[in-house]
Amino acid sequence: MRIAIASGKGGTGKTTVVANLAVHLKNSKHSVAVADCDVEEPNLHLFLNPHLDIEKTAVVPIPEVDNELCTGDDCGLCAQLCRFKSLILMAGEVMVFPELCHGCGLCTLACPEKAITEGSRAIGVVRSGKANCIPFTEGEMKIGEAMAPPLIEEVKAASPQCDIELIDCPPGTSCPVIKALDGVDFAVLVTEPTPFGLHDLDLAVLTLRQLRIPFGVVINRDGMGNSCVHDYLNREKITLLGAIPHSLKAAQAYSKGLLHVGNVEGFDDHYAKLWENIQQSIGEARS
Ligand code: SF4
Ligand code: SF4
């Protein structure tokens, strides 16, 4: 079962929830794996301190043009077909912009002169290992790289099969999030009880409804801000899976790099209840 932990905006505590939920599940003898798909800024490792012993370079295919075979101005088909404008015809020669290429392979297939072959371009790395017996996978994009979705796909493919797989999604609602959400059974949206939190939660809710993925919401740092998120959930009939309280002790543990589960009084119960509610919501979605 794949469960995505997502949020409409960064800084809501999404990764904190992934780390604590994973440890709660492991302590409860569940078979659980985690995959950090926030490849632009992976930070789950800061909470779980994994030993990562496998590292693989992730690549995407890019076209390589043989100018001896290309008929240039007499053709131009590849430049016409590429919807991402990764190829242009200039002064009779095809120029490739690898950073824009999505690796769809259309130009290679379409070239009538067989002048295009597939090369490759590194976009980042995928690392795997274990965090205190929990299988851990993460991806990290190269600096300046813009193509997160193919790397996210590789992270998900590299994550070992367990009964429960928690996916730490990138924040927001753009293409990387859609790729991270692809194929999940359930999503947990983490938000904070503020107008900013509500604004971005609403976008995330619209996205999940569009994708027809069942979901519920966790309010992190509940007690600060105002009641706008609670009111919104009631109005929209969205399940509140859990409310993690705003707590000085939790903030102090966080600042020391400690998990809340096992270190802050009462938080084991919050995560136990959260897992109970997630299971109940998944059951209801399946029935
Ligand atoms: S499709 Fe092939 S032959 Fe035509 S311009 Fe592109 S590379 Fe050249
Ligand atoms: S592989 Fe696809 S995206 Fe890349 S240059 Fe060719 S047609 Fe464009």
Side-chain angles (χ1 to χ4, degrees), residues 65 69-72 75-78 89 94 111-113 115-116:
V65 180
L69 297 175
C70 172
T71 51
C75 174
L77 185 60
C78 55
L89 198 56
V94 175
C111 176
E113 307 298 333
I116 304 180

Side-chain angles (χ1 to χ4, degrees), residues 61-82:
I62 52 161
E64 289 178 351
V65 180
D66 183 339
N67 286 320
E68 298 290 319
L69 297 175
C70 172
T71 51
D73 283 336
D74 291 337
C75 174
L77 185 60
C78 55
Q80 285 167 30
L81 290 177
C82 179

